[in-house]
Amino acid sequence: MKLAWAASLMVLSVAGQAVTKVNLRDSLTYVWIAPGSFTMGCPRGDNAGDTDCFDWEDKPHQVTIRKGFWIGQTEVTQEAYQRMIGSNPSMYRGPHLPVDQIGWDDARKYCEAAGMRLPTEEQWEYAARGGSAAPRYGDLDAIAWYDSNSGDQTHEVGRKQANGFGLFDMIGNMWEWVDAAHGDASGGADKKILRGGSFFNLARDLRVSNRLWATPDTRHRNMGVRCAGD
């Protein structure tokens, strides 16, 4: 575990297995995710209510995360984005709301400015599951903002229940850009992946295995970012 992670960070707390740090560049909290293995993807034939798999989701396969990593406890806020980039492109305004209307390149540049990077798709899903093998890490209304409870807008980060790793809004609130390209026939390698679903999506969309893709310059009101680090 890299507790001495650059001079730009300081230890905020160590409680049991949870280790968090505040990045002094963007003032956001990051959580240490230990190495481990998990089943990534959506099990085919799972027809329990709204947990049906979409065709574009990964089929179940075993993934091993061999190196631990840091990931944002919350989505990047508008306050943090303004601090690092000097502008705020968001449609919905508020310092503790997630930044929205950013493209993949915007997300990457922010993370780099904060001394971080975009998470890989495997890291994102491993972190999102929080140790759970279920399609969601808790009751949907308790953990996520989505079309039935969001009022068609974003909400302040960290207001819903966290997952087993202490991460908030891993599903719902904002789609989050990751460091992955979508290369199948329907998308093309020029398109980048987003994960997590958003305030705009239906309940069925809100699962840790679901995916979305768009060109890197796409900027939508439900697209944001969560950074990671080594």
Side-chain angles (χ1 to χ4, degrees):
M1 185 183 306
K2 297 182 179 179
L3 291 179
W5 176 40
S8 63
L9 297 173
M10 64 179 181
V11 174
L12 177 65
S13 65
V14 180
Q17 297 300 311
V19 178
T20 62
K21 289 186 177 184
V22 172
N23 184 331
L24 297 185
R25 295 186 187 181
D26 65 6
S27 295
L28 295 180
T29 298
Y30 291 82
V31 177
W32 175 256
I33 307 298
S37 297
F38 74 108
T39 301
M40 183 174 180
C42 189
R44 298 305 190 260
D46 180 0
N47 295 314
D50 60 7
T51 63
D52 291 353
C53 304
F54 291 112
D55 291 341
W56 54 80
E57 294 180 67
D58 279 339
K59 294 181 179 179
H61 59 286
Q62 194 72 5
V63 172
T64 297
I65 304 295
R66 301 188 182 282
K67 292 177 60 179
F69 60 96
W70 299 90
I71 194 165
Q73 188 172 49
T74 67
E75 294 154 337
V76 171
T77 63
Q78 293 176 34
E79 181 177 57
Y81 195 89
Q82 179 75 46
R83 181 197 307 271
M84 299 306 304
I85 305 301
S87 62
N88 182 4
S90 304
M91 174 180 291
Y92 307 101
R93 293 302 182 106
H96 304 299
L97 294 177
V99 65
D100 64 74
Q101 295 194 140
I102 62 170
W104 185 87
D105 289 317
D106 303 318
R108 177 182 56 82
K109 289 175 182 177
Y110 171 88
C111 290
E112 290 178 353
M116 308 297 287
R117 58 171 173 76
L118 291 173
T120 68
E121 194 169 15
E122 293 80 6
Q123 288 173 335
W124 188 94
E125 187 168 328
Y126 178 58
R129 289 182 177 279
S132 172
R136 305 181 179 108
Y137 51 84
D139 175 77
L140 187 56
D141 283 305
I143 65 174
W145 298 108
Y146 66 113
D147 79 319
S148 292
N149 65 10
S150 70
D152 195 34
Q153 63 183 37
T154 61
H155 290 262
E156 289 190 358
V157 300
R159 297 298 184 180
K160 292 289 187 176
Q161 291 179 9
N163 72 2
F165 291 161
L167 304 173
F168 296 93
D169 303 310
M170 291 301 293
I171 57 175
N173 219 14
M174 299 296 293
W175 282 103
E176 301 174 13
W177 291 105
V178 296
D179 188 14
H182 184 73
D184 68 19
S186 63
D190 62 324
K191 296 191 177 182
K192 302 297 185 179
I193 299 291
L194 300 104
R195 301 299 299 264
S198 77
F199 71 90
F200 182 77
N201 288 93
L202 300 173
R204 182 184 176 186
D205 301 328
L206 276 286
R207 294 186 322 286
V208 292
S209 58
N210 198 13
R211 314 164 79 209
L212 178 68
W213 54 91
T215 56
D217 59 352
T218 303
R219 296 176 176 88
H220 194 272
R221 65 190 178 112
N222 65 352
M223 292 179 175
V225 66
R226 180 188 310 256
C227 301
D230 299 310

